[in-house]
């Protein structure tokens, strides 16, 4: 999720962004001429399929967690570099890039979260909950971009790259120590379950908080705009009234002149 329309202000301030930006710029400078942003977007899509298949295959062996983590790295490479390469070469197709990038991102998210639910590490209902939370935050980004022209993909200095890092760490942790099961009053949950639940709660919380804050911001903005509109209408009405008053005065002066001419004609000397 790294492309935005040219008219939008991009906000991507995360913990890893300073390093990530330098790496992406270096990669864009050294990318072979035959590689295009569309190739990188397709690579990111392929990586998501690789992640999903690897997670499903963990039902056979946990070693496939490493292949899934490799897929995460490839996905970062393709998904993050496509927009950087387009901007570096000055070949941005803002509308096409915005649409394709986020349509593909949405499909990637569905594939990965459903695969997590099929894997032996996360319950399907929790994976579905996390998918809903992630898509809600995506909708939050798109809505704010539409109404305010600000494309914000980082919240509390956390963005897609940080989430990818968490997934790689979780895969390594589960591979080495297993996926311990914890019994609670609500049922049995694994370590990966708790991680997914924590991410879901953070995303839902961020969505609710951002909705409230932005609703207040936009309400204040609309109130201000309505006040400006009302002031313009008032001044327009005042100018219209002033023009009408001036027109009435001109008409009155013309009428007085006509009457004066008529009176002079009646009283002119020598007329019997």
């Amino acid at each position: 999720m790294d492309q935005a329309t040219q008219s939008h202000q991009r906000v991507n301030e995360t913990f890893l962004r300073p390093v990530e930006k330098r790496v992406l710029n270096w990669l864009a400078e050294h990318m072979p001429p035959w590689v295009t942003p569309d190739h990188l977007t397709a690579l990111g899509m392929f990586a998501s399929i690789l992640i999903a298949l690897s997670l499903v295959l963990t039902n056979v062996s946990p070693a496939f967690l490493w292949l899934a983590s490799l897929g995460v790295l490839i996905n970062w490479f393709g998904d993050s570099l496509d927009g950087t390469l387009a901007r570096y070469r000055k070949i941005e197709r803002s509308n096409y890039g915005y649409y394709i990038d986020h349509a593909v991102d949405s499909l990637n998210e569905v594939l990965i979260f459903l695969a997590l639910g099929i894997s032996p590490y996360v319950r399907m209902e929790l994976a579905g909950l996390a998918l809903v939370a992630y898509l809600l935050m995506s909708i939050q980004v798109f809505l704010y971009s539409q109404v305010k022209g600000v494309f914000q993909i980082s919240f509390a200095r956390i963005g897609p790259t940080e989430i990818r890092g968490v997934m790689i760490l979780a895969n390594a942790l589960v591979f080495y120590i297993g996926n311990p099961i914890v019994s609670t009053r609500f049922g049995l949950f694994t370590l990966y379950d708790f991680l997914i639940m924590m991410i879901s709660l953070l995303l839902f919380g961020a969505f609710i908080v951002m909705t409230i804050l932005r609703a207040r911001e936009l309400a204040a903005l609309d109130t201000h705009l309505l006040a400006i509109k009302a002031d313009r209408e008032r001044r327009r009405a005042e100018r219209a009234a002033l023009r009408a008053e001036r027109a009435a005065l001109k008409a009155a002066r013309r009428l007085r002149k006509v009457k004066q001419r008529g009176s002079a004609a009646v009283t002119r000397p020598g007329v019997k």
Side-chain angles (χ1 to χ4, degrees), residues 146-164:
Q146 178 65 32
V147 300
K148 199 66 187 300
V150 176
F151 190 82
Q152 182 174 356
I153 61 175
S154 63
F155 300 89
R157 297 184 66 81
I158 296 176
T161 300
E162 283 71 19
I163 293 177
R164 291 185 181 101

Side-chain angles (χ1 to χ4, degrees), residues 98 145 149 164:
Y98 182 88
S145 173
R164 291 185 181 101

Side-chain angles (χ1 to χ4, degrees), residues 27-183:
L27 289 171
E29 292 173 4
H30 294 82
M31 196 59 51
W34 58 267
V35 177
T36 68
D38 283 345
H39 291 151
L40 294 171
T41 301
L43 179 64
M45 181 68 192
F46 165 78
S48 295
I49 296 173
L50 177 63
I51 296 169
L53 289 176
S54 301
L55 289 172
V56 172
L57 289 173
T58 54
N59 287 285
V60 178
S61 169
F64 282 101
L65 286 170
W66 294 110
L67 187 59
S69 295
L70 175 62
V72 173
L73 290 175
I74 298 173
N75 176 264
W76 169 85
F77 179 85
D79 187 51
S80 299
L81 187 56
D82 54 2
T84 303
L85 183 64
R87 288 187 292 273
Y88 174 75
R89 294 181 178 174
K90 295 181 172 53
I91 55 172
E92 302 101 321
R93 291 174 290 174
S94 57
N95 295 323
Y96 169 81
Y98 182 88
Y99 179 81
I100 289 297
D101 194 48
H102 301 302
V104 169
D105 279 346
S106 299
L107 181 58
N108 291 345
E109 292 155 11
V110 172
L111 288 174
I112 292 171
F113 281 108
L114 289 182
L116 270 174
I118 297 173
S119 76
Y121 301 114
V122 180
R123 292 164 56 170
M124 178 60 80
E125 58 269 30
L126 296 179
L129 185 67
L131 174 60
V132 170
Y134 199 98
L135 290 176
L136 278 176
M137 285 304 297
S138 298
I139 292 171
Q140 178 74 248
V141 171
F142 302 147
L143 287 175
Y144 197 63
S145 173
Q146 178 65 32
V147 300
K148 199 66 187 300
V150 176
F151 190 82
Q152 182 174 356
I153 61 175
S154 63
F155 300 89
R157 297 184 66 81
I158 296 176
T161 300
E162 283 71 19
I163 293 177
R164 291 185 181 101
V166 169
M167 186 174 183
I168 292 174
L169 290 175
N171 288 344
L173 183 64
V174 169
F175 178 81
Y176 283 114
I177 71 172
N179 197 25
I181 298 176
V182 179
S183 178

Side-chain angles (χ1 to χ4, degrees), residues 137 140 155 200-211:
M137 285 304 297
Q140 178 74 248
F155 300 89
S200 300
L201 289 175
L202 289 175
L203 291 174
F204 275 118
F207 177 81
I208 293 171
V209 170
M210 296 308 298
T211 298

